[in-house]
Amino acid sequence: MSKTNIASYDVIVVGGGNAALVSALSAHQSGARVAIFEAAPEAEHGGNSRFSSGIFRIPHSGLSEVTALLDEAALDDVKHCRMAAYPAEQYKGDIERTSKGHCDRAQVDVMLKHAFETVRWMKDDIGVKWQLPLGKFFDREKIIAAQGVVDMPPWDTVMAIGEGTGLMEALWDAVRERPGIAVFHESPVSGLIADGDTVSGVTVRRRDTTLRVYGQVILACGGFEASPRLRRQYLGEGWDLVALRGSRFNTGTMMEQAVGVGAAAVGNFGGCHATPHDLDAPKILNPSDADRMSRYSFPYSVMVNAEGRRFMDEGENVFSLTYAKTGAAIVKQPHATAFQVFDQKTLHLLEPRYSVASPVEADTLEELAHKIGVDANTFTTTIEKYNSATLKDATERFHAFACDGVSTGTALDIPKSNWALPIDKPPFVAYGVTCGITFTYGGLRVDNAARVLNDEGLVMPGLWAVGEIAGGFFAFNYPGGSGLTKGAVFGKLAGQSAAERARNIKLA
């Protein structure tokens, strides 16, 4: 028989990623005694954040303002870069466009208001080291040699040194340095202790014990992307079989538990962040794989399915506004498989992550088709029709680093809106990709302070939700780098709010 132990803290944080640790550190800074309960063993902690690029998309007035956030060791990159401003209104427009208007605009405004100061706080108070993402999506030396001064996308604002792994190492180091934060690994939270709408703690499942832990509760344990059962239930046919791009511990347990005690659910439960993922990657990544299996240079490719047919506009927009929905397009294809096909004109533009892939190369399109296992007649016809639709001056007008309008126009049923160069300079190279799911968009309904709301729209005292478990913010698609920003901004606010409530209860 298991035994039940009882403990209490001011603030209980459930999870071990970016949103969780920012919540814990914020609560501790506000004077609270904090406990972190992480389902993963220490070797695998860090949630989905560990598998991310570590990029934070924040509004800013240009490179001079961003430079103030950078670590001293990263300042050399500034002389090689230009960066235009990224106003809050442009950022808001990107979220509204990618979500097709299904975003909580008030919460978006809160995030935009606090994003820059939160990232600065993470540097100054926590010790996260920021750099420009100069070498993340292009080969650093090649792009500097080609351009001299690089026009950095202003939305890919800063990246943690060491990417997602470096971000989580910095946050976990900060937690370890604070004796007022207790950490429990291999301790999945299995339920909420509730009386009516008020939550007073959690139950924790240990190997031989059930813990009852009392305190203010911040849920920061991700979506349901690691649960094949819930993926099939909410996302639909085929999603139970897709590859997992993030933490295997994000199973949606506490989302379901919260709904079970009266919390409201909100958001696009049929939508998720899903990316082009290496075809040969394991179904569940090892933590050491980090952010190596994504394949985001598809705007410079022609992408075909296992039948040799195009199925999407590869050049609809810059990849950071399309990559998170591309996985969903791939999962609908036969065998959930696609191939990104390049010729020699654009191979130098492939992001560094392609260096760990297994390309297939051939001198002719027919040979390439045979090597990747698609019908040669269909594949060559697809490429020939595409090539015929490209502009005669496409190569001269091509601009790799901005939407260039080099398009196939109306000549094809599925256009390519930008970067439409013909595939005509051999050897030809193909990279196989499948769908990799990162996180889900549906979750718990929260207010502007991250407090969980019940089905009647009322605050559930003692319960907050931050990060991917909080729904209603993203839908259909996603502006790259905004998830980490959202998690940190609302994590910091939730930590302060939970610490304040714990303090007021003591004083009452």
Side-chain angles (χ1 to χ4, degrees):
M1 293 181 60
S2 67
K3 56 185 178 180
T4 300
N5 292 333
I6 298 175
S8 65
Y9 296 87
D10 296 329
V11 175
I12 298 162
V13 176
V14 183
N18 167 66
L21 299 197
V22 168
S23 298
L25 291 162
S26 173
H28 177 268
Q29 189 177 66
S30 299
R33 291 172 55 252
V34 180
I36 298 171
F37 290 93
E38 163 68 301
E42 187 170 0
E44 296 185 60
H45 67 195
N48 273 2
S49 309
R50 180 173 181 165
F51 294 89
S52 75
S53 65
I55 289 177
F56 279 57
R57 178 185 288 241
I58 59 176
H60 59 86
S61 61
L63 185 58
S64 59
E65 186 176 30
V66 172
T67 299
L69 299 174
L70 304 180
D71 186 72
E72 186 176 349
L75 292 177
D76 183 63
D77 281 350
V78 174
K79 66 185 179 185
H80 300 295
C81 297
R82 285 186 294 262
M83 182 181 285
Y86 187 51
E89 283 305 307
Q90 182 180 349
Y91 194 159
K92 188 173 184 178
D94 286 340
I95 292 178
E96 291 187 346
R97 182 167 57 255
T98 54
S99 69
K100 299 181 183 179
H102 291 274
C103 57
D104 188 311
R105 291 177 174 83
Q107 290 182 27
V108 171
D109 287 341
V110 170
M111 184 189 78
L112 296 178
K113 177 181 177 181
H114 294 285
F116 194 95
E117 68 184 55
T118 299
V119 170
R120 182 164 51 198
W121 172 79
M122 293 175 74
K123 174 192 176 186
D124 294 341
D125 289 37
I126 297 179
V128 177
K129 296 181 178 181
W130 303 111
Q131 66 181 63
L132 297 174
L134 176 59
K136 175 60 182 176
F137 300 115
F138 298 96
D139 184 289
R140 182 183 185 278
E141 303 308 321
K142 286 181 180 178
I143 193 174
I144 290 174
Q147 290 193 250
V149 179
V150 181
D151 287 304
M152 292 291 295
W155 42 83
D156 292 334
T157 317
V158 292
M159 179 174 74
I161 292 178
E163 302 186 16
T165 301
L167 171 67
M168 294 317 303
E169 286 176 351
L171 292 175
W172 275 108
D173 284 346
V175 166
R176 294 186 193 99
E177 291 168 0
R178 288 155 173 81
I181 303 179
V183 177
F184 301 87
H185 288 96
E186 299 181 77
S187 300
V189 172
S190 56
L192 294 169
I193 302 169
D195 186 6
D197 282 334
T198 298
V199 172
S200 58
V202 299
T203 57
V204 182
R205 176 171 55 83
R206 304 296 295 272
R207 292 289 289 173
D208 59 354
T209 304
T210 299
L211 302 180
R212 292 176 66 85
V213 186
Y214 290 89
Q216 312 303 305
V217 179
I218 302 175
L219 299 178
C221 43
F224 56 86
E225 61 276 358
S227 169
R229 174 179 63 84
L230 293 180
R231 292 201 306 264
R232 179 65 180 85
Q233 176 180 337
Y234 289 116
L235 301 179
E237 185 177 354
W239 283 98
D240 48 336
L241 302 177
V242 300
L244 179 63
R245 185 173 167 257
S247 169
R248 64 188 177 96
F249 297 95
N250 289 3
T251 57
T253 297
M254 292 313 297
M255 178 190 74
E256 292 190 295
Q257 291 293 315
V259 169
V261 298
V266 68
N268 180 13
F269 273 81
C272 62
H273 180 298
T275 72
H277 192 72
D278 191 280
L279 187 60
D280 297 323
K283 283 288 188 181
I284 298 176
L285 295 181
N286 295 314
S288 59
D289 291 322
D291 187 30
R292 301 195 308 156
M293 297 300 172
S294 299
R295 305 289 176 254
Y296 292 171
S297 297
F298 61 89
Y300 308 126
S301 78
V302 167
M303 192 148 54
V304 300
N305 62 19
E307 296 175 342
R309 308 178 195 277
R310 290 180 65 240
F311 57 91
M312 61 172 286
D313 181 349
E314 305 92 339
E316 177 189 340
N317 209 320
V318 292
F319 79 89
S320 69
L321 293 178
T322 61
Y323 79 104
K325 68 174 183 177
T326 299
I330 295 171
V331 82
K332 296 176 183 177
Q333 305 310 307
H335 313 299
T337 296
F339 298 92
Q340 299 174 358
V341 180
F342 303 88
D343 72 0
Q344 295 299 307
K345 296 192 298 296
T346 55
L347 280 180
H348 67 288
L349 295 172
L350 300 190
E351 60 178 19
R353 284 180 285 196
Y354 283 72
S355 66
V356 299
S358 300
V360 178
E361 184 174 318
D363 292 324
T364 68
L365 293 172
E366 292 83 355
E367 181 187 3
L368 185 66
H370 289 303
K371 284 188 172 182
I372 63 177
V374 304
D375 182 81
N377 289 332
T378 303
F379 176 70
T380 55
T381 299
T382 296
I383 301 299
E384 288 167 0
K385 286 183 177 179
Y386 165 80
N387 285 347
S388 296
T390 60
L391 301 172
K392 291 183 179 180
D393 61 348
T395 302
E396 291 74 25
R397 291 175 53 187
F398 177 80
H399 187 319
F401 309 111
C403 291
D404 59 6
V406 177
S407 169
T408 59
T410 60
L412 301 173
D413 291 338
I414 302 174
K416 185 172 183 183
S417 299
N418 295 282
W419 310 291
L421 294 179
I423 303 293
D424 60 3
K425 187 176 181 181
F428 306 104
V429 179
Y431 290 85
V433 291
T434 187
C435 171
I437 186 170
T438 313
F439 67 89
T440 45
Y441 294 147
L444 301 178
R445 183 184 291 277
V446 297
D447 68 6
N448 294 349
R451 297 178 299 180
V452 175
L453 304 178
N454 68 10
D455 277 321
E456 296 74 47
L458 303 175
V459 170
M460 297 185 70
L463 185 62
W464 291 256
V466 296
E468 296 162 6
I469 194 173
F473 203 93
F474 304 118
F476 302 107
N477 193 12
Y478 165 88
S482 54
L484 289 173
T485 306
K486 174 204 171 197
V489 165
F490 287 99
K492 186 170 184 283
L493 294 174
Q496 293 168 342
S497 178
E500 181 181 6
R501 187 169 192 272
R503 186 165 53 250
N504 290 340
I505 288 173
K506 285 182 180 179
L507 295 174

